[in-house]
């Protein structure tokens, strides 16, 4: 009976996300091209001897600074950290309270060419969301493989709907 009652009262929530796709880096606004180039530079220094998958991140800040990150792996696998979190925690550590204005990400295997856009993992989305919620302005995320198309999400919320944040605590 309960399940029938529940079925009768069923309401649905539809979640829609719109992402923009750029054909290549050269189609991005100039400042984002520069940011993506910094992500590519950062990717070169990733420490990924186990996965052979290198990720670079660059975050622009409202004070004009840019912070970078890359994935740092560890022989004790879970002790490593993704590029996005290295970058965003660096921003939080060095420039606390300064707004993040955009994030550029590039990722790919060292063993084959990666041409598809690689989105940030769930844990990184959650970590980035903390900063977006705190600064109450959206942080656009641009992500790509090594080459090829670049996808833009206008907000972390577009990549992680139903965000868990401190308002629930
Ligand atoms: N990685 C990132 O740096 N960011 C992501 O969003 C996904 C995965 C790293 C973690 C690990 O070093 C390697 O890529 C393979 O998972």
């Amino acid at each position: 009976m309960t399940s029938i009652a529940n079925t009768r009262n069923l309401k649905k929530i539809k979640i829609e996300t719109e992402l923009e796709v750029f054909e290549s880096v050269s189609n991005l606004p100039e400042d984002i091209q520069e940011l993506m180039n910094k992500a590519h530079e950062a990717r070169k220094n990733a420490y990924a001897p186990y996965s052979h998958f290198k990720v670079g991140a660059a975050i622009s800040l409202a004070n004009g600074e840019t912070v970078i990150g890359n994935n740092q792996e560890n022989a004790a696998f879970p002790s490593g950290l993704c590029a996005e979190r290295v970058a965003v925690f660096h921003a939080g550590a060095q420039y606390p309270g300064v707004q993040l204005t955009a994030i550029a990400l590039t990722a790919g295997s060292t063993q084959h060419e990666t041409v598809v856009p690689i989105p940030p993992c769930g844990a990184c989305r959650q970590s980035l969301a903390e900063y977006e919620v705190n600064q109450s302005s959206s942080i656009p995320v641009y992500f790509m493989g090594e080459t090829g198309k670049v996808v833009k999400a206008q907000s972390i919320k577009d990549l992680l709907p139903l965000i868990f944040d401190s308002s629930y605590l």
Side-chain angles (χ1 to χ4, degrees):
M1 282 305 285
T2 307
S3 65
I4 291 169
N6 280 346
T7 306
R8 279 206 195 106
N9 292 326
L10 182 70
K11 285 183 185 166
K12 291 186 182 177
I13 299 171
K14 191 172 176 185
I15 298 171
E16 273 183 311
T17 294
E18 199 173 271
L19 303 172
E20 281 178 67
V21 183
F22 296 81
E23 274 310 302
S24 75
V25 172
S26 58
N27 297 107
L28 294 168
E30 227 166 84
D31 56 332
I32 303 299
Q33 285 189 38
E34 281 173 29
L35 194 64
M36 188 58 88
N37 289 340
K38 288 177 183 168
H40 280 279
E41 280 304 307
R43 182 174 173 269
K44 291 179 187 162
N45 294 328
Y47 176 64
Y50 306 108
S51 72
H52 309 291
F53 190 81
K54 292 186 166 195
V55 185
I59 301 178
S60 55
L61 303 172
N63 64 2
E65 299 288 342
T66 303
V67 295
I68 58 101
N70 43 42
N71 50 327
Q72 297 292 321
E73 298 185 348
N74 193 280
F77 290 179
S79 300
L81 198 61
C82 292
E84 295 87 334
R85 276 176 285 166
V86 170
V88 78
F89 295 158
H90 178 191
Q94 189 153 15
Y95 303 109
V98 179
Q99 290 205 341
L100 315 183
T101 50
I103 302 174
L105 305 171
T106 172
S109 171
T110 59
Q111 295 172 329
H112 56 83
E113 203 189 1
T114 304
V115 296
V116 293
I118 308 289
C121 78
C124 287
R125 296 178 201 197
Q126 179 65 35
S127 295
L128 293 166
E130 181 84 11
Y131 294 82
E132 185 173 90
V133 168
N134 284 350
Q135 71 179 37
S136 55
S137 67
S138 65
I139 307 170
V141 183
Y142 296 81
F143 56 90
M144 66 181 297
E146 290 171 78
T147 56
K149 291 183 171 49
V150 183
V151 175
K152 176 190 179 186
Q154 183 49 48
S155 164
I156 312 294
K157 288 190 180 104
D158 291 332
L159 295 175
L160 188 66
L162 306 179
I163 279 171
F164 179 85
D165 66 37
S166 60
S167 68
Y168 298 126
L169 299 178

